[in-house]
Amino acid sequence: MKKPNATRAISAAVLLAAGIPAFGFAQTPPDQSVILPTPAPLPSSGGTPIPYPAYGTPAPDVAHLTQKPGVPTSVSLQQSIKIAVALSPVFATANAQWAIIHARYTSSKQALLPGLSGTAQIGNAYSTQGFGINGPGGGVLPTTSPIPTTQPTGITNSGTSGRTTSESATINLQQLIFDGGRTIANIRSAKFADYAGRATLVRDLQTLAFNVASAYYLVLQDNATVVADNQLVKEFEVNEAAVVAQIKNGAAARSDLAAAQFQTAQSRGNLVTAQGAAIAAQAAFATTLGLDADAEAVPKSLTSQPAEPNPTYAKSLTRAFILRPDYLSADYTVTSDQANVRYAKLARSPVLTGAASYGTSRILSSPYSNVYNTSQFSNDKSIGLTLAVPIYDQGVTNYNVAVAAATLDTAIAGLNQERLQVESDVRSALANLISARSLLVQTNSELTAARVSLDATQAQYRVGATTIINVVTAEANLATAQSDQIHAVYNVQNAQQNYLYATGETDLQL
């Protein structure tokens, strides 16, 4: 079985770790890697292997890295992506935004279920009135429930005051029966909005993975540049020593030494600059993962992989329309807004609901305790249907329908714009990938030719067959070729990541 490509932007393991279902992804595409130069750049686990700066006032604390608990000191690309998913505040923000959208969908589905509520009450009623109905002297009964249907006898005309304490409990049940399909439309709108939000979250995850990969390869490129520049410094120092020997033997003029020293000083300056860039790249990589800038999490060096044929534009575009989460999100948004238009229109539909309730109550104490049985419960039951027919709502529904329709038009335009963006991204990414691969072949040839030219020119100088100017020129050509070749190596990796990002492809292998 073919091993998964280490340069894939995202894995299903990462999706599962983030709590995101892996959906809408096809099988892993063929590897698009290239053969790297030998030997591959190998940065040390502690960053640059030489003091920083190599020439000038020492500043060891700037280059020092600190090991963080639970974080490997040397990380692969997949490990880097998983760390970023766990720690990056950028992805945490995106995940929280999707959680809000998902909550709306979860809540909207509950509208189909019956509503159940309960109330309980205990309270006091104060009365200062007396009896006057059906009794000698007149008076009224207290209003505290329950009230007897017939006036008790034996009540005097004198006014009565006191406190009546009662308690009650009621359970209410409501069920939507018919609303013209408005609730279903709302659920459908929320459902596809949830799909759109989830696809956006997956794209955010891919964006994070792409940014991690870019920072990852930049660290490797800058560390490789430090290694190459250090080698050039040593080579130019050897050449300078050879010129000194030539001068002592009378085979070269003293002016030749200045040209050699110029080349050495320039290469040392390039080395110091490369060291600073490597330290900055390492700090940016750590913070992209959500770690402190001085965290010791150094990317692992690349391994050689077989080259594969370049993909075609037609196949790449087809895969992008199937796999790009942002394009899928735009499509889901259109479907959601279509359902939202229907939801707004159905506000004119009548609504039929059923309701049932059951309650019980009793009087705990009363100044008329000689009249009422204060320990007996009174039960109340009800069941019925309610039909609400909208007649006139001052144009609110018309406004909501107009807003929903305009939102739908915007979503359709956004989908068309997203389609054009996918086409542009895929075409540009594919062209850059093919160009980067071709450039790598040429820079390999350039480096080989520069090396051969320098060796030949140095040999000619040693026998007096050429001038120091030609040697310096050959050394400058070698430095340029070395830099071009290193940039070409990592341009291929970045172009491949950009191609995968443009097509929305991902690695499903754990």
Side-chain angles (χ1 to χ4, degrees):
M1 180 181 293
K2 183 181 293 184
K3 295 181 179 180
N5 186 356
T7 61
R8 293 300 179 202
I10 187 175
S11 67
V14 178
L15 289 174
L16 294 176
I20 307 170
F23 72 100
F25 296 113
Q27 294 298 320
T28 304
D31 293 341
Q32 305 296 338
S33 52
V34 297
I35 299 177
L36 299 176
T38 303
L42 297 174
S44 67
S45 60
T48 175
I50 55 180
Y52 174 73
Y55 306 95
T57 305
D61 61 325
V62 178
H64 176 71
L65 297 179
T66 304
Q67 185 175 358
K68 303 298 180 180
V71 179
T73 58
S74 180
V75 294
S76 66
L77 179 57
Q78 293 299 328
Q79 288 175 320
S80 302
I81 294 173
K82 291 180 181 179
I83 293 172
V85 170
L87 302 180
S88 172
V90 175
F91 181 70
T93 301
N95 197 23
Q97 292 173 347
W98 173 68
I100 297 174
I101 299 174
H102 184 66
R104 179 207 165 192
Y105 173 49
T106 303
S107 176
S108 66
K109 294 189 295 183
Q110 308 301 316
L112 294 176
L113 302 177
L116 184 65
S117 63
T119 59
Q121 182 180 5
I122 182 170
N124 298 318
Y126 297 90
S127 173
T128 58
Q129 295 176 335
F131 290 98
I133 302 176
N134 295 331
V140 295
L141 289 173
T143 58
T144 305
S145 177
I147 300 176
T149 56
T150 59
Q151 174 63 39
T153 59
I155 299 178
T156 64
N157 190 31
S158 60
T160 304
S161 64
R163 180 182 66 183
T164 300
T165 301
S166 62
E167 63 179 8
S168 64
T170 305
I171 295 178
N172 299 297
L173 178 67
Q174 286 187 328
Q175 175 62 60
L176 175 67
I177 298 176
F178 174 78
D179 66 352
R182 192 166 191 252
T183 299
I184 298 298
N186 185 50
I187 294 175
R188 179 176 173 83
S189 175
K191 174 183 177 180
F192 283 96
D194 179 60
Y195 286 173
R198 184 170 57 172
T200 299
L201 180 61
V202 173
R203 189 57 173 175
D204 290 338
L205 187 58
Q206 290 184 346
T207 301
L208 177 64
F210 175 74
N211 293 336
V212 169
S214 298
Y216 184 94
Y217 292 128
L218 182 59
V219 173
L220 291 179
Q221 174 180 302
D222 288 347
N223 284 343
T225 301
V226 170
V227 173
D229 286 349
N230 191 32
Q231 293 173 348
L232 287 174
V233 168
K234 294 178 180 179
E235 185 160 348
F236 295 158
E237 289 174 342
V238 170
N239 183 67
E240 184 178 334
V243 172
V244 172
Q246 290 287 84
I247 293 174
K248 290 181 179 180
N249 295 333
R254 290 188 176 276
S255 60
D256 291 353
L257 180 59
Q261 289 175 337
F262 168 80
Q263 196 69 28
T264 302
Q266 187 180 57
S267 65
R268 287 173 177 171
N270 291 337
L271 173 58
V272 173
T273 302
Q275 283 183 296
I279 293 173
Q282 177 63 42
F285 172 67
T287 54
T288 301
L289 302 188
L291 299 170
D292 295 333
D294 66 340
E296 186 176 7
V298 180
K300 293 181 179 179
S301 58
L302 301 180
T303 57
S304 299
Q305 296 177 349
E308 301 235 351
N310 291 321
T312 64
Y313 172 67
K315 291 183 178 179
S316 300
L317 188 59
T318 300
R319 294 181 69 81
F321 283 133
I322 296 174
L323 301 178
R324 277 278 291 259
D326 49 343
Y327 180 77
L328 297 177
S329 176
D331 190 28
Y332 288 140
T333 299
V334 170
T335 305
S336 174
D337 289 344
Q338 288 172 340
N340 197 43
V341 170
R342 184 170 184 268
Y343 171 78
K345 291 180 177 179
L346 287 175
R348 303 186 181 99
S349 175
V351 178
L352 179 64
T353 57
S357 67
Y358 176 83
T360 183
S361 63
R362 68 173 178 173
I363 297 176
L364 297 178
S365 63
S366 172
Y368 313 106
S369 57
N370 61 326
V371 178
Y372 303 111
N373 184 356
T374 58
S375 63
Q376 185 177 1
F377 281 98
S378 174
N379 298 327
D380 296 315
K381 303 177 183 178
S382 67
I383 186 171
L385 298 175
T386 301
L387 178 65
V389 180
I391 299 175
Y392 178 67
D393 62 357
Q394 297 84 34
V396 173
T397 298
N398 292 336
Y399 170 78
N400 292 335
V401 171
V403 171
T407 303
L408 174 60
D409 292 341
T410 302
I412 294 174
L415 177 61
N416 293 331
Q417 181 61 42
E418 191 64 36
R419 177 181 58 81
L420 297 175
Q421 187 64 51
V422 169
E423 293 177 356
S424 176
D425 290 347
V426 171
R427 195 170 186 84
S428 299
L430 181 57
N432 290 335
L433 176 61
I434 295 174
S435 296
R437 289 177 173 177
S438 299
L439 178 61
L440 179 59
V441 175
Q442 299 306 315
T443 54
N444 286 336
S445 300
E446 176 189 353
L447 180 60
T448 302
R451 174 66 64 183
V452 172
S453 176
L454 177 60
D455 292 343
T457 305
Q458 287 175 335
Q460 291 173 353
Y461 180 76
R462 285 192 292 268
V463 298
T466 190
T467 64
I468 190 63
I469 300 300
N470 292 332
V471 175
V472 171
T473 301
E475 289 175 341
N477 291 340
L478 176 62
T480 301
Q482 184 76 64
S483 177
D484 291 345
Q485 194 267 350
I486 291 174
H487 282 83
V489 168
Y490 293 102
N491 279 343
V492 170
Q493 299 301 324
N494 284 318
Q496 180 169 309
Q497 287 297 321
N498 191 43
Y499 172 77
L500 295 174
Y501 183 69
T503 56
E505 295 180 7
T506 183
D507 185 4
L508 296 181
Q509 301 185 46
L510 300 179

